[in-house]
Amino acid sequence: MRAHDERPPTSEEPSRPRRTAQPDPSAVVALAALQRTAGNAAVVRLLGVQRMPDAVRGHRARRKAVADSPYSRRPQSARQQEQQGFDPAVPRAAQLPAQGPGGAAIWRGTRSDIGFTKETTNAVFANTPSQNANGRTEYQCAKCNAFIPRKRDRTPADGDRFVAIDHISGIIAYVQTNATEVTWAVGGRTVAAITRDEAKRCANDPANLRVLCAQPCNGGTRAAQSASRRYDTDRAVRWVG
């Protein structure tokens, strides 16, 4: 006797059809209409906007939050403003400018656009104790005092042991402390900012630079806790009046 689950389907026990996912008819119709009126390129752009990367959203959020005012993040709705403690009658804070006087680039508050110049690199290494060994020049690490080659001269035997320029005081704090801000009027208010050129000048100050080996003196926990990994846009451009 055959088992119950081995019996072929009969007219009284029809086999059940498999369910397949069906697209939403209204969505299909809407997409087809958009393609006819605006073309495929417009549809692609629309879908691209809907899938906006988190990084883009985060950048826009940071730009919106730089205004030094408690009203810079309030909602659009007057009812929601009142619920969150805002006064709808008080005008919103004006958006901080994206450029300095004469179109000068404003420092973004990070180290990404104020790196070392070639002149700075050459000057720092030229003033660092060195020795000729193993057919190359090796430089003394300012922390462990070992003589180690630059990254371009290392061999597989060196592993992660190579030297590079490092800041003595954190680059972000050093620029903020030593840079000269520019001030100018925008919409009847005074703006202060650190230009990118000024920030780069401070970041390349030889008085705050030294040579360290990448491992262990300039790596691990020390690198992970670097203040330069965080934005500080409010100090790069802000309202002062």
Side-chain angles (χ1 to χ4, degrees), residues 85-101:
F86 295 109
D87 183 357
V90 176
R92 291 176 177 273
Q95 178 68 44
L96 283 162
Q99 293 182 322

Side-chain angles (χ1 to χ4, degrees), residues 52-95:
M52 183 186 299
D54 291 339
V56 176
R57 285 194 292 268
H59 174 71
R60 292 182 178 178
R62 286 192 297 269
R63 291 301 304 165
K64 183 179 179 182
V66 295
D68 186 15
S69 167
Y71 298 101
S72 61
R73 298 182 183 180
R74 66 183 184 183
Q76 294 288 340
S77 167
R79 178 179 58 82
Q80 290 179 339
Q81 290 182 41
E82 292 177 348
Q83 290 176 346
Q84 297 181 26
F86 295 109
D87 183 357
V90 176
R92 291 176 177 273
Q95 178 68 44

Side-chain angles (χ1 to χ4, degrees), residues 150-179:
R150 295 176 64 174
K151 186 175 183 179
R152 66 186 185 186
D153 297 325
R154 68 174 176 168
T155 65
D158 295 313
D160 291 332
R161 299 279 284 177
F162 61 90
V163 290
I165 298 176
D166 178 69
H167 292 87
I168 299 173
S169 296
I171 178 175
I172 301 297
Y174 192 82
V175 170
Q176 291 173 345
T177 301
N178 293 276

Side-chain angles (χ1 to χ4, degrees), residues 45 143 184 210 217 233:
R45 287 194 298 271
K143 190 172 181 180
W184 72 105
R210 60 183 173 177
C217 297
T233 310

Side-chain angles (χ1 to χ4, degrees), residues 6-191:
E6 293 181 346
R7 289 181 299 173
T10 64
S11 58
E12 296 180 356
E13 296 179 338
S15 59
R16 296 180 180 179
R18 294 183 178 179
R19 294 182 179 180
T20 57
Q22 297 295 326
D24 184 354
S26 60
V28 174
V29 172
L31 182 59
L34 180 60
Q35 287 177 318
R36 287 195 298 270
T37 57
N40 290 330
V43 174
V44 172
R45 287 194 298 271
L46 176 60
L47 295 177
V49 171
Q50 293 174 343
R51 292 190 294 266
M52 183 186 299
D54 291 339
V56 176
R57 285 194 292 268
H59 174 71
R60 292 182 178 178
R62 286 192 297 269
R63 291 301 304 165
K64 183 179 179 182
V66 295
D68 186 15
S69 167
Y71 298 101
S72 61
R73 298 182 183 180
R74 66 183 184 183
Q76 294 288 340
S77 167
R79 178 179 58 82
Q80 290 179 339
Q81 290 182 41
E82 292 177 348
Q83 290 176 346
Q84 297 181 26
F86 295 109
D87 183 357
V90 176
R92 291 176 177 273
Q95 178 68 44
L96 283 162
Q99 293 182 322
I106 294 176
W107 179 42
R108 293 183 299 168
T110 68
R111 66 182 301 166
S112 60
D113 55 349
I114 54 172
F116 298 130
T117 64
K118 183 178 180 179
E119 292 74 18
T120 296
T121 301
N122 291 338
V124 173
F125 277 113
N127 287 282
T128 298
S130 62
Q131 66 179 21
N132 291 322
N134 303 310
R136 64 196 180 186
T137 301
E138 298 177 343
Y139 298 87
Q140 188 175 35
C141 171
K143 190 172 181 180
C144 69
N145 296 322
F147 283 87
I148 302 170
R150 295 176 64 174
K151 186 175 183 179
R152 66 186 185 186
D153 297 325
R154 68 174 176 168
T155 65
D158 295 313
D160 291 332
R161 299 279 284 177
F162 61 90
V163 290
I165 298 176
D166 178 69
H167 292 87
I168 299 173
S169 296
I171 178 175
I172 301 297
Y174 192 82
V175 170
Q176 291 173 345
T177 301
N178 293 276
T180 300
E181 292 184 325
V182 294
T183 59
W184 72 105
V186 176
R189 299 185 63 184
T190 303
V191 179

